[in-house]
Structure formats: structure tokens, C-alpha cells
Amino acid sequence: MRPEAPRPLFAGPEAGPEAPFPLRLGGRVVKGFGRGSSELGIPTANIPIAGLSVGGHEDVESGVYFGWAGLDVDKMGERIPLTTSQHSMPIPKQSAPIKTPAPASTSTDDDTDGVTNGIINGDTQPGKMHIYPMVMSIGWNPFYHNTVRSVEVHILHSFPRDFYGAWMNLLILGFIRPEYDYVDKEALIEDIRTDIEVARRSLGREGYVGLEGDGFLRKGPEGEGEGEGVGR
């Protein structure tokens, strides 16, 4: 069950990710359980995982993680046609925290430590993978008694439409908390909103700024197995 102690404000070491992070995972966005938007007000994009392997690691603990997501959809949720040269195009590392105004997400969080809703500043050109901050759950979701392990990703941007079939790459940078069971749905929603705040604060620290420039986030589906990680 969920502990009563106050939640930490940050996740992961101050200096930056430590082994086994970063983990890299990619796959097509598939239809999930349909609860994120309809029941929780927190939409998720799901990708399949190969057995219990996450980013090439069989021993990844179930729980909540934070990092960056690369998507071949623009800020309106429209698919972006990728050229061959853009499948692995890196982006320049940021020298300062990200400050990008964008539409409000389904959460009520404000801009925190330089990470805000939406795409990376300057990453709005057509034909490119767009990079978004994300918080994600890996596990069985005991509150809903799932019978299969799933990867559910909440992108910190408000999209006006679904984008099933889009390609999504995940750069997982740290662990926020284990998965818990809850006495009611309201407690679950409260924890998810806290997870979002923790992810924002954590990504805004100096040790994590620039990691959104990892070239893996820019790779399209060519040469990648859906739901397969490529390791570190």
C-alpha cells in the first residue's frame, strides 16, 4: 500500500543518471486499457514490451520513472513523415534549462526548474522527431489488478488527439517510486500528479540538462524491434 510519509521532491542523483540509467526503449504506440484519459484525467501513450525486458534489462523494477520521449508526431498529435537522414539526427545539447511556452497539460503543474509542458525549444521544424518530457509507469498496476506488465507513458504536453501507431522512443533517466496499491482512485490520481511534479523538478537539474539531446530519441523505427530496448 501507499506509504504515509511525505514524498521526496526530486528523484535520481543530483549529479545525473547512474547505472543502469539511462535505459532506452522504443516501440509503436498501442491502445492501452483506456483508463488514463477517461477515468484519471491523465492520458497515457502505451508501447508493448518484450516479455519482462525493459531497455534490454530483465530486472527493471516495476514502478514510476522519468525521462524524455521522442515522438514522430507534432504538438497537435499529427504524424510526421521522417526522411532517412532524420532517423538518427541528434539535436544540440541545451546549455541552459528549457523554457518553452505550451498549452497546459491535464495536470495543474506550473513551470518548474526550467522544464515545462511541451516540446523542446526550437524543435518545431516539420519532419523531425519531437522531444517531450515524460513520466512513465512500468508494471502491473495493482489498483486495477492487471494481468500483464505494461509500459504507460504520460507525455508532459497536451495533445488534442490520439496518435496510435506513432513511433515513440523513451530515454529513461531515473526511478521515482515503486508501484503501490491504493484505497481509492483519488489517492492514485494524487500520487500521479506528484510524480509529474517530481519528474519536472528532476529533469530541470544541472546533471540532467542536455540529456534530451541523446541521438536515440531521434531514431525512427528502421532497424529497431518494436517494444525492444537497445541497452545502454
Side-chain angles (χ1 to χ4, degrees):
M1 294 296 290
R2 175 194 187 195
E4 295 298 326
R7 294 276 307 273
L9 298 178
F10 298 92
E14 183 73 23
E18 293 183 352
F21 304 105
L23 299 176
R24 297 171 176 88
L25 179 67
R28 294 277 179 199
V29 175
V30 298
K31 191 170 181 62
F33 300 105
R35 307 183 193 114
S37 296
S38 62
E39 292 190 29
L40 305 178
I42 303 170
T44 60
N46 297 8
I47 61 174
I49 56 176
L52 297 182
S53 176
V54 178
H57 293 257
E58 298 286 345
D59 57 351
V60 172
E61 181 180 356
S62 292
V64 179
Y65 295 79
F66 70 96
W68 294 96
L71 275 170
D72 64 351
V73 299
D74 63 19
K75 63 183 180 180
M76 299 303 293
E78 294 284 354
R79 296 290 300 280
I80 303 169
L82 299 179
T83 65
T84 302
S85 62
Q86 289 162 342
H87 281 310
S88 57
M89 182 185 299
I91 61 175
K93 291 189 175 182
Q94 301 284 336
S95 58
I98 301 160
K99 293 287 184 182
T100 307
S105 73
T106 52
S107 67
T108 58
D109 20 11
D110 298 319
D111 180 17
T112 306
D113 285 346
V115 177
T116 161
N117 291 335
I119 56 179
I120 285 180
N121 186 28
D123 188 33
T124 59
Q125 299 93 332
K128 292 186 177 181
M129 295 282 280
H130 284 200
I131 315 300
Y132 302 86
M134 64 86 181
V135 61
M136 62 183 290
S137 169
I138 301 173
W140 307 91
N141 201 332
F143 181 72
Y144 286 106
H145 307 290
N146 290 357
T147 58
V148 295
R149 201 177 193 214
S150 63
V151 173
E152 300 177 81
V153 182
H154 175 63
I155 305 294
L156 274 61
H157 175 77
S158 180
F159 295 95
R161 59 177 60 85
D162 295 329
F163 44 86
Y164 299 126
W167 186 264
M168 180 164 63
N169 293 321
L170 301 174
L171 185 72
I172 307 171
L173 298 178
F175 180 78
I176 295 178
R177 64 170 176 86
E179 63 176 353
Y180 301 128
D181 199 355
Y182 294 89
V183 294
D184 54 38
K185 185 170 62 179
E186 287 68 29
L188 170 60
I189 293 172
E190 179 184 347
D191 248 11
I192 294 173
R193 295 205 183 281
T194 300
D195 296 335
I196 292 169
E197 290 289 347
V198 171
R200 289 187 191 283
R201 295 189 188 99
S202 300
L203 287 171
R205 291 174 296 175
E206 184 176 355
Y208 295 81
V209 170
L211 296 179
E212 69 279 4
D214 190 297
F216 173 75
L217 290 169
R218 288 285 187 161
K219 290 184 178 180
E222 291 183 1
E224 304 289 339
E226 294 189 24
E228 297 287 348
V230 295
R232 297 186 65 232

